[in-house]
Amino acid sequence: MANTATKPAYNPADKESEAGRTDFLFKKLKTGLYVAAPALVESYDRTLCRAVVRPAFMSQKSDGSAQEQSLIYDVPVRFCGGGGYAVNLPLTKGDSGWLIFCDRDISNFKSARSVMPLNTLRMHAQEDAFFLPDAMQTVSVSAEDAGRAVFQTLAGNNKISMGQEDITITTGKLTVNASQEVQFNTPAVTMSGTLTVTGIIRSIADVLAGAISLLSHTHSGVTPGGGSTGGPQ
């Protein structure tokens, strides 16, 4: 005959003492209390900075079996920002991070972004979570950047590496779009490749080609007089 008995959702021994019953009660209360948990992005609306997130842990049913958690919708994504500035990342499906569950209902705050009365009395609920992106152990920093602050792609092919006295930018192509002007306030600029300019080059001081001065160089083989030399060759 098949065993149709249902596994109890508690340890029967807990019923034998006041301490056991109290422990069981606290465990049941904590079952519905959310604080922080790992999660994966299901989809992301970058315009609204809201994500659909899947908790990366399974809940436990009363019979002890595991059950996948439901998706959580309209979750605010937390990036560093303030004072008129912000960091914004293009999250994609499968990106990992942490769900942080707020102490109280934040539905009114999400819509108004100001001091508001609570919409409900719920506490530590899934509806009041925000998502904190975290690349976790998928990021590998090269040995040359040890001891430096680094902002990079996961592959490391594009990065900004900052030390105590220098900043290094590594990339395949760097584009600067400045509508007014680009200024370099430095005693020297060194370039190792070809410089191509589509506009006019102006120099307030001298220009040297090798050891030849543009301001003071002379041409040999020219008879003094009122004529001019020929064009450049």
Side-chain angles (χ1 to χ4, degrees):
M1 180 181 294
N3 183 10
T4 58
T6 301
K7 183 178 180 180
Y10 61 92
N11 182 357
D14 288 342
K15 298 176 61 177
E16 304 301 322
S17 67
E18 184 66 28
R21 290 190 291 270
T22 301
D23 182 64
F24 172 74
L25 175 61
F26 276 111
K27 286 181 179 178
K28 292 296 290 183
L29 290 174
K30 288 189 290 186
T31 299
L33 179 66
Y34 296 96
V35 179
L40 301 173
V41 173
E42 188 69 20
S43 63
Y44 176 54
D45 186 333
R46 196 173 187 183
T47 302
L48 299 176
C49 216
R50 301 289 176 85
V52 178
V53 176
R54 182 182 300 278
F57 66 96
M58 292 187 175
S59 60
Q60 188 175 30
K61 297 194 294 186
S62 60
D63 61 358
S65 61
Q67 181 178 5
E68 187 170 322
Q69 296 268 28
S70 300
L71 295 176
I72 304 177
Y73 295 86
D74 195 36
V75 179
V77 178
R78 190 268 185 187
F79 293 121
C80 293
Y85 301 90
V87 175
N88 194 292
L89 303 176
L91 298 182
T92 59
K93 182 177 180 179
D95 281 347
S96 58
W98 299 93
L99 279 171
I100 310 298
F101 301 93
C102 298
D103 293 336
R104 299 292 188 270
D105 183 341
I106 63 169
S107 56
N108 283 344
F109 179 79
K110 285 197 295 185
S111 60
R113 292 285 179 175
S114 62
V115 178
M116 296 285 292
L118 296 176
N119 188 42
T120 69
L121 297 180
R122 65 181 181 234
M123 295 181 287
H124 293 276
Q126 290 191 353
E127 297 91 333
D128 303 313
F130 67 86
F131 182 72
L132 179 63
D134 184 355
M136 300 184 184
Q137 71 272 25
T138 58
V139 179
S140 178
V141 177
S142 63
E144 65 185 20
D145 292 319
R148 298 169 65 91
V150 179
F151 181 75
Q152 67 171 56
T153 58
L154 294 183
N157 56 315
N158 286 308
K159 64 181 178 180
I160 300 174
S161 175
M162 183 173 65
Q164 294 294 331
E165 298 181 354
D166 69 295
I167 296 176
T168 301
I169 299 176
T170 302
T171 185
K173 181 180 180 181
L174 177 64
T175 301
V176 178
N177 295 314
S179 61
Q180 297 181 16
E181 187 177 10
V182 176
Q183 291 188 357
F184 294 94
N185 298 314
T186 177
V189 175
T190 301
M191 299 185 65
S192 60
T194 301
L195 174 64
T196 301
V197 180
T198 59
I200 297 174
I201 297 179
R202 290 189 177 93
S203 175
I204 298 175
D206 200 354
V207 176
L208 298 179
I212 299 175
S213 167
L214 181 64
L215 291 178
S216 61
H217 77 281
T218 59
H219 294 265
S220 61
V222 177
T223 301
S228 300
T229 62
Q233 297 181 2

